[in-house]
Amino acid sequence: MNNHPADYQKAIEFHGHCCPGLTIGYLAAKAALAQLKVERAADEELVAIVESDGCGIDAIQVLLGCTIGKGNLIYKDYGKQAYTIGNRSTGEAVRIVVMAGSMVPLTAEQEAIKSAVFSGQATPEQEECWRRLQSERTGRLLAAPAEDLFRIQKVELKLPSEAKIFNSVICEYCGEKVMESRARLQNGKIACLACTEEYSRGW
């Protein structure tokens, strides 16, 4: 596990550690690049729509050049390991979804170790066992053909417009700058969303 490809190592460094979730995002990104026959986006040439906020999204950012800051990473909170990548130049898009059963489920003993690790109450032996297990799971993912891990489909995608730069206004409640498109009027004063009182009638 020490001889990682350079792009995978970059993803690990960006994410902070190596894990199966990051690896799935890495492999999905590689599959998208191959399917669309493109390279990493220097600017906004590619758009990624991701359907969870899991570890794999960091690999999508590193390998595809799709980021929140550039406006070409769109997050939808669907709780799915699914990635739709579109190419602005050609209009082509591909959706890559992790298939059920693509990962070997943890045993009851492994689940107990995982719970101990994530609760911060694992023994040094349990922590080492978990590291070893994660390394093994990651190795299996890296060795698997993409078609064994993902359902890959060409899809029609209405690509969002490129990111816009908005003028700023000053919130008259907190004094901080806020983009015009996110400002509100409250009692006749400009208010940012953080200073806006919520109002709801149940819908």
Side-chain angles (χ1 to χ4, degrees), residues 22-163:
L22 180 74
T23 307
I24 284 171
Y26 168 77
L27 295 171
K30 296 287 278 187
L33 292 172
Q35 287 286 321
L36 297 174
K37 299 180 175 60
V38 292
E39 295 182 350
R40 184 184 192 277
D43 195 18
E44 295 182 50
E45 299 88 352
L46 298 178
V47 174
I49 300 171
V50 300
E51 299 182 26
S52 76
D53 61 353
C55 300
I57 310 311
D58 282 352
I60 295 293
Q61 293 184 85
V62 171
L63 267 78
L64 301 183
C66 297
T67 69
I68 290 286
K70 286 198 294 188
N72 59 342
L73 176 65
I74 297 167
Y75 166 54
K76 300 197 173 189
D77 190 13
Y78 295 163
K80 296 182 180 181
Q81 285 181 303
Y83 315 88
T84 302
I85 314 302
N87 181 356
R88 288 193 186 280
S89 301
T90 64
E92 289 185 295
V94 63
R95 188 167 188 262
I96 300 171
V97 184
V98 177
M99 291 192 297
S102 60
M103 290 189 67
V104 178
L106 297 176
T107 65
E109 182 184 0
Q110 290 167 342
E111 285 286 2
I113 293 170
K114 175 184 174 182
S115 294
V117 169
F118 279 76
S119 68
Q121 301 186 7
T123 65
E125 291 78 14
Q126 286 176 316
E127 289 179 356
E128 177 55 32
C129 183
W130 180 247
R131 276 193 295 271
R132 206 165 49 243
L133 176 61
Q134 289 291 77
S135 179
E136 290 167 3
R137 296 172 77 208
T138 298
R140 283 197 296 270
L141 287 169
L142 289 170
E147 57 269 22
D148 288 354
L149 300 175
F150 306 115
R151 186 177 74 243
I152 302 173
Q153 297 173 297
K154 289 287 181 76
V155 294
E156 301 244 346
L157 178 65
K158 187 172 186 285
L159 289 166
S161 60
E162 294 188 4

